[in-house]
């Protein structure tokens, strides 16, 4: 009887391991693993998430600070004109085309 159990245990073990392999394969197909953080696809997903978050931050900042960047309203027609900007050169002068002469040396 001991020999019969030993002989029958080998096919039972082979069949049980085959059933386990089939069930494990079926389970993996139905429940895929999450993407690894070291793949290109995962890095692209992380980049997209970062860009979406950055756009949200910029949009929030623009909403909060947008009124600071609106151009000022046009002055009323009867209001005084703003002061004229100072001219760097007097009227009628032309820019020099030659280099300026060297400054005199200082004596200590």
């Amino acid at each position: 009887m001991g020999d019969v159990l030993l002989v029958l245990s080998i096919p039972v073990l082979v069949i049980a391991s085959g059933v386990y392999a089939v069930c494990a394969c079926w389970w993996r197909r139905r429940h895929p693993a999450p993407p690894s953080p070291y793949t290109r696809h995962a890095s692209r997903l992380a980049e997209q998430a970062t860009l979406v978050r950055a756009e949200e931050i910029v949009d929030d900042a623009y909403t909060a600070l947008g009124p600071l960047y609106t151009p000022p309203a046009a002055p009323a027609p009867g209001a005084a004109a703003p002061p004229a900007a100072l001219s760097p050169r007097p009227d009628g002068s032309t820019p020099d085309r030659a280099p300026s002469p060297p400054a005199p040396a200082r004596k200590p």
Side-chain angles (χ1 to χ4, degrees), residues 11-71:
V12 169
L13 182 65
V14 170
I15 290 172
S17 64
V19 169
Y20 175 80
V22 168
C23 291
C25 181
W26 175 84
W27 179 261
R28 276 191 232 115
R29 286 186 183 184
R30 298 290 187 262
H31 304 88
S36 171
Y38 303 108
T39 61
R40 288 187 182 131
H41 181 68
S43 66
R44 274 187 250 124
L45 289 176
E47 180 182 2
Q48 288 175 353
T50 303
L51 288 175
V52 167
R53 182 68 183 131
E55 287 176 357
E56 290 173 359
I57 290 171
V58 169
D59 290 343
D60 291 344
Y62 184 76
T63 302
L65 303 175
L68 296 175
Y69 295 105
T70 57

